[in-house]
Amino acid sequence: MMEDIVLLETSKSVKKYKRVFKLIFAVGEYDMVIYDSRLNTCECYEIKHSNQIVPAQTRYLADEEKLSQTENRFGNITRRCVLYRGENTVLENGIEYRNVEEYLKGLKQR
């Protein structure tokens, strides 16, 4: 249910030239992608109920094949992020962990 809430609220907050959707691969998915058609860029998100950082949560965000497929269709990936219930942090590989409540509160300011 949290995925649906994040997708809906994000969709309502973005400009008309941006699309918000779930991207499904043959194996795996990105819970949310925000595509900017003006810049031909995208942001990829995983949405987790956990308040812990677990390496398996980022497996698709770090999967070179999925990243390449996504960039071929939706341009340069400008952000890879896990929305979860813990503290904000950035991993060594550049993947962000962002508190989902803070993310949702910040949507009104986009």
Side-chain angles (χ1 to χ4, degrees):
M1 186 166 165
M2 186 164 65
E3 285 180 27
D4 294 333
I5 292 168
V6 170
L7 280 166
L8 176 63
E9 293 302 318
T10 302
S11 295
K12 292 182 344 188
S13 75
V14 297
K15 308 264 190 249
K16 293 188 187 293
Y17 56 86
K18 292 186 177 182
R19 289 181 34 221
V20 178
F21 53 92
K22 180 180 284 199
L23 182 58
I24 300 172
F25 300 98
V27 175
E29 66 186 24
Y30 292 142
D31 294 328
M32 180 172 71
V33 173
I34 302 173
Y35 172 63
D36 184 324
S37 63
R38 284 189 179 170
L39 299 175
N40 193 38
T41 61
C42 64
E43 301 174 13
C44 300
Y45 294 82
E46 290 291 330
I47 303 167
K48 304 298 179 191
H49 292 276
S50 174
N51 62 358
Q52 302 293 315
I53 294 175
V54 179
Q57 295 168 333
T58 63
R59 69 183 177 273
Y60 299 133
L61 293 173
D63 182 317
E64 292 299 326
E65 183 178 334
K66 287 177 180 45
L67 294 171
S68 177
Q69 290 174 6
T70 302
E71 286 188 326
N72 284 337
R73 290 182 64 193
F74 302 106
N76 188 42
I77 297 171
T78 60
R79 185 179 203 186
R80 295 176 297 153
C81 183
V82 177
L83 297 176
Y84 78 133
R85 296 182 351 202
E87 298 295 319
N88 295 339
T89 192
V90 179
L91 303 180
E92 289 179 12
N93 62 5
I95 296 174
E96 298 175 48
Y97 271 79
R98 178 111 189 263
N99 181 275
V100 67
E101 184 178 343
E102 289 179 19
Y103 171 83
L104 290 169
K105 286 179 181 178
L107 287 177
K108 293 177 176 64
Q109 300 167 1
R110 275 185 109 156

